[in-house]
Amino acid sequence: MNFDLTQEHKMIRKTIREFSDEVVAPGAIERDKTKAFPREIFKQLADMGMMGLPFSEEYGGAGADTVSFAIVTEELSRACASTGITYSAHISLGGAPLNLFGTEEQKQKYLVPVCTGESFGAFGLTEPNAGSDAGGTQTTAKLDGDDFVINGNKAFITNASYAKHLALTAITDVKDGKKEISAIIVPTDTEGFTVIDNYEKMGLNASNTTELVLENVRVPQENLLGEKGNGFKQFLVTLDGGRIGIGAMAVGIAQAAFDRALRYSKERKQFGKTLSEFQITQFKLADMAMKIELARTMVHKAAWLKDQGRAFGKEASMCKLYASEIAMEVADQAIQIHGGYGYMKEYEVERYMRDAKLLEIGEGTSEVQRMVIARHIGC
């Protein structure tokens, strides 16, 4: 096995790390406070060719791989997790379904604006009564002539306020009591489509999290994404890729928390010694470093398997589960090392904990990941 990054990976990491340190990180505390969406940052990312990173150059992308996507997501999240989740969802939830299941015409019409940054990528799956049980979808799309007429609600949808279109799941038929769920592309300016941005969140405050209300939204039948009735399978595939993004985000947050804790432990003196001279602190930092490295390796393995065209569902769940849980653990320990200062916003470690919590919930809770892994190992 070769664990070295390629020269291209190293170049992308160097570029995005410098950008994250110089452009993204300086405003992170203020954006968390004001909930200001980082539009200017994403304009610059678009100019750098990052907004369509893993998609074909034919559609305005950069033709890079999933490992590259994981690297960029990690580095952005290390500087500002709100920026990281916006980017991850844009690629893995917004762009990926269009790339995987779209017709050539749909890709030209809908994927190209995502790749160029003209539109943010978003994906409408979760509903007020359908979270972990995504099969509990209640949104309907009924055929009326050549159009689908869509009615329903979606909840906790990332980026929708800045998306010109998004794919969403809806019931297109019921056969023998079983729902036929399909995916449909819906322009967000369609009559009857309302995006509501008024959630008060624990963390990730500078990201855009919305509710969607669809009242007799009419779109042409040609907006069906993939095959009718395959929506459930399609979003499972989409979520597998998205979990790599969540894992990479978690590694970035954990790395940021560790870096802060290590630096503080070398500066802060108690009882005549720096904190880093105490064995108890050394052991905490050693455990943190070990778990971050293991999580990053698991994320890169899942990404590599995906790039090789091999099965990666189990590894995606494993990396998402492990990385999200150690991100919470590392953030907790970073606060502990900071003591009372860790509770103060200016030291940033409290933000890492607030931001990390969502990663144990989004794109399948930790409990759902354990269910997925259990199925993969034959339970």
Side-chain angles (χ1 to χ4, degrees):
M1 285 183 279
N2 183 358
F3 288 96
D4 285 333
L5 295 176
T6 66
Q7 285 305 118
E8 183 181 351
H9 292 148
K10 289 176 183 176
M11 182 186 71
I12 288 172
R13 184 177 63 184
K14 181 176 184 295
T15 300
I16 203 68
R17 181 171 290 177
E18 290 173 356
F19 177 80
S20 296
D21 288 342
E22 294 168 13
V23 178
V24 182
I29 292 176
E30 187 63 20
R31 286 193 300 273
D32 177 61
K33 191 184 300 181
T34 62
K35 304 179 183 179
F37 186 77
R39 291 201 77 163
E40 187 55 42
I41 287 171
F42 283 97
K43 284 179 186 173
Q44 293 180 63
L45 286 169
D47 291 340
M48 293 164 67
M50 294 292 177
M51 295 300 274
L53 186 67
F55 305 122
S56 170
E57 295 175 18
E58 182 182 355
Y59 306 113
D65 58 10
T66 313
V67 174
S68 299
F69 160 69
I71 290 168
V72 173
T73 302
E74 177 188 334
E75 292 298 332
L76 289 175
S77 302
R78 182 179 58 82
C80 169
S82 290
T83 303
I85 196 169
T86 302
Y87 181 79
S88 181
H90 169 82
I91 297 284
S92 64
L93 299 184
L98 298 170
N99 185 59
L100 287 168
F101 310 113
T103 63
E104 181 61 29
E105 186 180 347
Q106 287 172 340
K107 289 179 184 179
Q108 292 293 345
K109 188 173 182 180
Y110 300 114
L111 181 58
V112 169
V114 168
C115 289
T116 59
E118 183 186 338
S119 173
F120 279 81
F123 183 60
L125 173 62
T126 304
E127 298 187 5
N129 294 308
S132 293
D133 177 19
T137 296
Q138 295 175 343
T139 297
T140 60
K142 296 181 179 177
L143 275 175
D144 179 25
D146 291 330
D147 294 341
F148 285 113
V149 178
I150 309 171
N151 284 280
N153 294 70
K154 298 289 180 179
F156 313 134
I157 307 305
T158 305
N159 294 346
S161 295
Y162 302 93
K164 294 189 174 181
H165 49 77
L166 53 81
L168 57 80
T169 52
I171 302 165
T172 46
D173 202 354
V174 178
K175 296 175 181 175
D176 301 322
K178 286 189 69 176
K179 296 174 183 175
E180 176 191 85
I181 297 175
S182 303
I184 302 166
I185 303 168
V186 183
T188 54
D189 62 357
T190 307
E191 186 178 352
F193 191 110
T194 307
V195 179
I196 302 171
D197 176 15
N198 61 6
Y199 286 123
E200 291 287 330
K201 298 181 293 186
M202 175 182 179
L204 300 170
N205 286 321
S207 68
N208 177 241
T209 311
T210 68
E211 181 184 358
L212 311 181
V213 180
L214 298 99
E215 298 174 301
N216 295 319
V217 172
R218 186 177 286 269
V219 298
Q221 200 174 161
E222 67 194 34
N223 281 30
L224 179 72
L225 181 63
E227 294 181 21
K228 192 166 177 278
N230 271 7
F232 196 85
K233 292 177 184 175
Q234 288 169 204
F235 78 64
L236 289 178
V237 172
T238 299
L239 288 178
D240 278 343
R243 285 165 184 160
I244 295 173
I246 295 290
M249 267 192 73
V251 173
I253 293 173
Q255 186 67 56
F258 171 80
D259 291 343
R260 293 269 173 185
L262 179 61
R263 183 160 66 246
Y264 182 82
S265 74
K266 291 178 177 180
E267 296 168 354
R268 175 72 166 167
K269 285 194 172 181
Q270 293 282 273
F271 308 107
K273 290 179 171 182
T274 63
L275 294 182
S276 63
E277 291 179 88
F278 290 97
Q279 191 178 64
I280 191 168
T281 308
Q282 294 170 0
F283 282 8
K284 282 181 187 291
L285 290 164
D287 283 345
M288 292 158 77
M290 173 183 68
K291 289 173 182 178
I292 292 167
E293 193 59 36
L294 288 171
R296 182 181 290 112
T297 299
M298 195 68 224
V299 169
H300 286 190
K301 179 180 180 181
W304 179 82
L305 285 170
K306 184 174 186 288
D307 288 334
Q308 300 303 308
R310 291 164 61 177
F312 67 97
K314 179 183 71 174
E315 289 76 12
S317 277
M318 284 179 170
C319 82
K320 191 271 188 192
L321 172 62
Y322 183 71
S324 63
E325 292 194 345
I326 70 104
M328 277 296 289
E329 181 184 332
V330 169
D332 178 48
Q333 291 298 330
I335 291 171
Q336 198 70 18
I337 288 170
H338 278 74
Y341 291 109
Y343 209 65
M344 302 296 129
K345 288 184 184 281
E346 67 183 286
Y347 283 80
E348 300 200 70
V349 285
E350 62 82 34
R351 186 181 86 242
Y352 301 144
M353 175 178 272
R354 288 189 288 109
D355 289 347
K357 185 58 197 173
L358 185 274
L359 307 185
E360 294 184 314
I361 299 167
E363 303 213 26
T365 61
S366 292
E367 292 77 13
V368 166
Q369 301 313 316
R370 288 181 166 90
M371 288 165 56
V372 172
I373 294 165
R375 281 201 297 268
H376 276 290
I377 62 175
C379 290

